[in-house]
PDB file of all heavy atoms in Angstrom:
ATOM      1  N   PRO A 839       5.533  16.891   1.315  1.00  0.00           N
ATOM      2  CA  PRO A 839       6.818  17.034   0.622  1.00  0.00           C
ATOM      3  C   PRO A 839       6.746  16.509  -0.809  1.00  0.00           C
ATOM      4  O   PRO A 839       5.855  15.740  -1.160  1.00  0.00           O
ATOM      5  CB  PRO A 839       7.756  16.162   1.466  1.00  0.00           C
ATOM      6  CG  PRO A 839       6.852  15.105   2.043  1.00  0.00           C
ATOM      7  CD  PRO A 839       5.546  15.808   2.305  1.00  0.00           C
ATOM      8  N   ASP A 840       7.698  16.932  -1.622  1.00  0.00           N
ATOM      9  CA  ASP A 840       7.866  16.387  -2.981  1.00  0.00           C
ATOM     10  C   ASP A 840       6.590  16.495  -3.803  1.00  0.00           C
ATOM     11  O   ASP A 840       6.174  15.544  -4.468  1.00  0.00           O
ATOM     12  CB  ASP A 840       8.332  14.926  -2.907  1.00  0.00           C
ATOM     13  CG  ASP A 840       9.633  14.767  -2.138  1.00  0.00           C
ATOM     14  OD1 ASP A 840      10.507  15.629  -2.288  1.00  0.00           O
ATOM     15  OD2 ASP A 840       9.773  13.775  -1.402  1.00  0.00           O
ATOM     16  N   SER A 841       5.961  17.680  -3.751  1.00  0.00           N
ATOM     17  CA  SER A 841       4.684  17.880  -4.438  1.00  0.00           C
ATOM     18  C   SER A 841       4.879  18.645  -5.750  1.00  0.00           C
ATOM     19  O   SER A 841       5.662  19.592  -5.829  1.00  0.00           O
ATOM     20  CB  SER A 841       3.709  18.648  -3.547  1.00  0.00           C
ATOM     21  OG  SER A 841       3.384  17.906  -2.387  1.00  0.00           O
ATOM     22  N   PHE A 842       4.131  18.208  -6.764  1.00  0.00           N
ATOM     23  CA  PHE A 842       4.104  18.860  -8.062  1.00  0.00           C
ATOM     24  C   PHE A 842       2.635  19.157  -8.381  1.00  0.00           C
ATOM     25  O   PHE A 842       1.804  18.249  -8.342  1.00  0.00           O
ATOM     26  CB  PHE A 842       4.702  17.952  -9.138  1.00  0.00           C
ATOM     27  CG  PHE A 842       6.135  17.554  -8.890  1.00  0.00           C
ATOM     28  CD1 PHE A 842       6.434  16.528  -8.001  1.00  0.00           C
ATOM     29  CD2 PHE A 842       7.171  18.194  -9.552  1.00  0.00           C
ATOM     30  CE1 PHE A 842       7.748  16.149  -7.774  1.00  0.00           C
ATOM     31  CE2 PHE A 842       8.493  17.821  -9.326  1.00  0.00           C
ATOM     32  CZ  PHE A 842       8.783  16.801  -8.442  1.00  0.00           C
ATOM     33  N   TYR A 843       2.328  20.421  -8.696  1.00  0.00           N
ATOM     34  CA  TYR A 843       0.933  20.823  -8.872  1.00  0.00           C
ATOM     35  C   TYR A 843       0.590  21.014 -10.342  1.00  0.00           C
ATOM     36  O   TYR A 843       1.378  21.566 -11.124  1.00  0.00           O
ATOM     37  CB  TYR A 843       0.656  22.111  -8.103  1.00  0.00           C
ATOM     38  CG  TYR A 843       0.873  21.952  -6.617  1.00  0.00           C
ATOM     39  CD1 TYR A 843       2.039  22.406  -6.014  1.00  0.00           C
ATOM     40  CD2 TYR A 843      -0.085  21.324  -5.830  1.00  0.00           C
ATOM     41  CE1 TYR A 843       2.246  22.246  -4.657  1.00  0.00           C
ATOM     42  CE2 TYR A 843       0.110  21.162  -4.467  1.00  0.00           C
ATOM     43  CZ  TYR A 843       1.286  21.616  -3.885  1.00  0.00           C
ATOM     44  OH  TYR A 843       1.486  21.456  -2.541  1.00  0.00           O
ATOM     45  N   LEU A 844      -0.607  20.555 -10.723  1.00  0.00           N
ATOM     46  CA  LEU A 844      -1.078  20.666 -12.098  1.00  0.00           C
ATOM     47  C   LEU A 844      -2.368  21.468 -12.168  1.00  0.00           C
ATOM     48  O   LEU A 844      -3.174  21.450 -11.227  1.00  0.00           O
ATOM     49  CB  LEU A 844      -1.349  19.268 -12.679  1.00  0.00           C
ATOM     50  CG  LEU A 844      -0.168  18.304 -12.782  1.00  0.00           C
ATOM     51  CD1 LEU A 844      -0.663  16.955 -13.297  1.00  0.00           C
ATOM     52  CD2 LEU A 844       0.916  18.865 -13.685  1.00  0.00           C
ATOM     53  N   LYS A 845      -2.559  22.150 -13.286  1.00  0.00           N
ATOM     54  CA  LYS A 845      -3.841  22.797 -13.551  1.00  0.00           C
ATOM     55  C   LYS A 845      -4.870  21.723 -13.881  1.00  0.00           C
ATOM     56  O   LYS A 845      -4.539  20.612 -14.279  1.00  0.00           O
ATOM     57  CB  LYS A 845      -3.720  23.777 -14.704  1.00  0.00           C
ATOM     58  CG  LYS A 845      -2.734  24.908 -14.490  1.00  0.00           C
ATOM     59  CD  LYS A 845      -2.755  25.833 -15.682  1.00  0.00           C
ATOM     60  CE  LYS A 845      -1.711  26.945 -15.545  1.00  0.00           C
ATOM     61  NZ  LYS A 845      -0.329  26.412 -15.669  1.00  0.00           N
ATOM     62  N   GLY A 846      -6.149  22.104 -13.768  1.00  0.00           N
ATOM     63  CA  GLY A 846      -7.226  21.161 -14.029  1.00  0.00           C
ATOM     64  C   GLY A 846      -8.101  21.031 -12.795  1.00  0.00           C
ATOM     65  O   GLY A 846      -7.608  21.185 -11.671  1.00  0.00           O
ATOM     66  N   ALA A 847      -9.384  20.765 -13.003  1.00  0.00           N
ATOM     67  CA  ALA A 847     -10.278  20.646 -11.846  1.00  0.00           C
ATOM     68  C   ALA A 847     -11.595  19.978 -12.238  1.00  0.00           C
ATOM     69  O   ALA A 847     -12.096  20.150 -13.351  1.00  0.00           O
ATOM     70  CB  ALA A 847     -10.561  22.018 -11.245  1.00  0.00           C
ATOM     71  N   MET A 848     -12.124  19.223 -11.288  1.00  0.00           N
ATOM     72  CA  MET A 848     -13.496  18.704 -11.327  1.00  0.00           C
ATOM     73  C   MET A 848     -14.268  19.370 -10.190  1.00  0.00           C
ATOM     74  O   MET A 848     -13.680  19.723  -9.163  1.00  0.00           O
ATOM     75  CB  MET A 848     -13.513  17.186 -11.118  1.00  0.00           C
ATOM     76  CG  MET A 848     -12.739  16.388 -12.141  1.00  0.00           C
ATOM     77  SD  MET A 848     -13.562  16.386 -13.739  1.00  0.00           S
ATOM     78  CE  MET A 848     -12.345  15.468 -14.706  1.00  0.00           C
ATOM     79  N   ASP A 849     -15.582  19.518 -10.370  1.00  0.00           N
ATOM     80  CA  ASP A 849     -16.360  19.995  -9.233  1.00  0.00           C
ATOM     81  C   ASP A 849     -16.788  18.800  -8.381  1.00  0.00           C
ATOM     82  O   ASP A 849     -16.448  17.649  -8.680  1.00  0.00           O
ATOM     83  CB  ASP A 849     -17.548  20.850  -9.677  1.00  0.00           C
ATOM     84  CG  ASP A 849     -18.639  20.060 -10.400  1.00  0.00           C
ATOM     85  OD1 ASP A 849     -18.600  18.807 -10.406  1.00  0.00           O
ATOM     86  OD2 ASP A 849     -19.544  20.697 -10.962  1.00  0.00           O
ATOM     87  N   TYR A 850     -17.530  19.059  -7.319  1.00  0.00           N
ATOM     88  CA  TYR A 850     -17.859  18.004  -6.369  1.00  0.00           C
ATOM     89  C   TYR A 850     -18.780  16.942  -6.957  1.00  0.00           C
ATOM     90  O   TYR A 850     -18.941  15.866  -6.378  1.00  0.00           O
ATOM     91  CB  TYR A 850     -18.484  18.602  -5.105  1.00  0.00           C
ATOM     92  CG  TYR A 850     -19.852  19.196  -5.319  1.00  0.00           C
ATOM     93  CD1 TYR A 850     -21.003  18.472  -5.031  1.00  0.00           C
ATOM     94  CD2 TYR A 850     -19.995  20.490  -5.815  1.00  0.00           C
ATOM     95  CE1 TYR A 850     -22.253  19.012  -5.217  1.00  0.00           C
ATOM     96  CE2 TYR A 850     -21.239  21.040  -6.008  1.00  0.00           C
ATOM     97  CZ  TYR A 850     -22.372  20.311  -5.709  1.00  0.00           C
ATOM     98  OH  TYR A 850     -23.612  20.850  -5.903  1.00  0.00           O
ATOM     99  N   ARG A 851     -19.392  17.233  -8.127  1.00  0.00           N
ATOM    100  CA  ARG A 851     -20.234  16.243  -8.793  1.00  0.00           C
ATOM    101  C   ARG A 851     -19.474  15.476  -9.874  1.00  0.00           C
ATOM    102  O   ARG A 851     -20.031  14.612 -10.543  1.00  0.00           O
ATOM    103  CB  ARG A 851     -21.459  16.918  -9.419  1.00  0.00           C
ATOM    104  CG  ARG A 851     -22.458  17.419  -8.380  1.00  0.00           C
ATOM    105  CD  ARG A 851     -23.680  17.982  -9.053  1.00  0.00           C
ATOM    106  NE  ARG A 851     -24.692  18.391  -8.071  1.00  0.00           N
ATOM    107  CZ  ARG A 851     -25.840  18.964  -8.384  1.00  0.00           C
ATOM    108  NH1 ARG A 851     -26.133  19.207  -9.666  1.00  0.00           N
ATOM    109  NH2 ARG A 851     -26.704  19.309  -7.450  1.00  0.00           N
ATOM    110  N   GLY A 852     -18.192  15.803 -10.038  1.00  0.00           N
ATOM    111  CA  GLY A 852     -17.383  15.118 -11.034  1.00  0.00           C
ATOM    112  C   GLY A 852     -17.447  15.732 -12.413  1.00  0.00           C
ATOM    113  O   GLY A 852     -17.042  15.100 -13.398  1.00  0.00           O
ATOM    114  N   ARG A 853     -17.915  16.974 -12.526  1.00  0.00           N
ATOM    115  CA  ARG A 853     -17.973  17.667 -13.809  1.00  0.00           C
ATOM    116  C   ARG A 853     -16.690  18.464 -14.002  1.00  0.00           C
ATOM    117  O   ARG A 853     -16.248  19.165 -13.092  1.00  0.00           O
ATOM    118  CB  ARG A 853     -19.184  18.600 -13.867  1.00  0.00           C
ATOM    119  CG  ARG A 853     -20.521  17.878 -13.715  1.00  0.00           C
ATOM    120  CD  ARG A 853     -21.671  18.844 -13.588  1.00  0.00           C
ATOM    121  NE  ARG A 853     -21.545  19.676 -12.397  1.00  0.00           N
ATOM    122  CZ  ARG A 853     -22.529  20.432 -11.906  1.00  0.00           C
ATOM    123  NH1 ARG A 853     -23.712  20.443 -12.525  1.00  0.00           N
ATOM    124  NH2 ARG A 853     -22.346  21.163 -10.832  1.00  0.00           N
ATOM    125  N   GLU A 854     -16.117  18.364 -15.180  1.00  0.00           N
ATOM    126  CA  GLU A 854     -14.875  19.095 -15.436  1.00  0.00           C
ATOM    127  C   GLU A 854     -15.155  20.592 -15.511  1.00  0.00           C
ATOM    128  O   GLU A 854     -16.018  21.038 -16.270  1.00  0.00           O
ATOM    129  CB  GLU A 854     -14.243  18.620 -16.747  1.00  0.00           C
ATOM    130  CG  GLU A 854     -12.883  19.274 -17.008  1.00  0.00           C
ATOM    131  CD  GLU A 854     -12.244  18.804 -18.303  1.00  0.00           C
ATOM    132  OE1 GLU A 854     -12.817  19.119 -19.372  1.00  0.00           O
ATOM    133  OE2 GLU A 854     -11.199  18.131 -18.252  1.00  0.00           O
ATOM    134  N   ILE A 855     -14.411  21.354 -14.716  1.00  0.00           N
ATOM    135  CA  ILE A 855     -14.552  22.815 -14.751  1.00  0.00           C
ATOM    136  C   ILE A 855     -13.266  23.481 -15.237  1.00  0.00           C
ATOM    137  O   ILE A 855     -13.271  24.669 -15.542  1.00  0.00           O
ATOM    138  CB  ILE A 855     -14.947  23.378 -13.367  1.00  0.00           C
ATOM    139  CG1 ILE A 855     -13.943  22.955 -12.289  1.00  0.00           C
ATOM    140  CG2 ILE A 855     -16.352  22.938 -12.997  1.00  0.00           C
ATOM    141  CD1 ILE A 855     -14.216  23.558 -10.924  1.00  0.00           C
ATOM    142  N   ASP A 856     -12.183  22.701 -15.316  1.00  0.00           N
ATOM    143  CA  ASP A 856     -10.920  23.239 -15.815  1.00  0.00           C
ATOM    144  C   ASP A 856     -10.133  22.071 -16.410  1.00  0.00           C
ATOM    145  O   ASP A 856      -9.817  21.117 -15.690  1.00  0.00           O
ATOM    146  CB  ASP A 856     -10.126  23.889 -14.679  1.00  0.00           C
ATOM    147  CG  ASP A 856      -8.889  24.621 -15.169  1.00  0.00           C
ATOM    148  OD1 ASP A 856      -8.793  24.867 -16.387  1.00  0.00           O
ATOM    149  OD2 ASP A 856      -8.010  24.935 -14.341  1.00  0.00           O
ATOM    150  N   PRO A 857      -9.838  22.078 -17.701  1.00  0.00           N
ATOM    151  CA  PRO A 857      -9.148  20.941 -18.310  1.00  0.00           C
ATOM    152  C   PRO A 857      -7.676  20.888 -17.913  1.00  0.00           C
ATOM    153  O   PRO A 857      -7.090  21.876 -17.455  1.00  0.00           O
ATOM    154  CB  PRO A 857      -9.299  21.209 -19.810  1.00  0.00           C
ATOM    155  CG  PRO A 857      -9.382  22.703 -19.902  1.00  0.00           C
ATOM    156  CD  PRO A 857     -10.149  23.139 -18.679  1.00  0.00           C
TER     157      PRO A 857
END
Side-chain angles (χ1 to χ4, degrees):
D840 302 321
S841 296
F842 300 80
Y843 299 101
L844 298 176
K845 299 182 183 70
M848 300 289 176
D849 69 10
Y850 68 97
R851 290 184 176 177
R853 299 172 298 193
E854 185 180 66
I855 56 176
D856 187 15

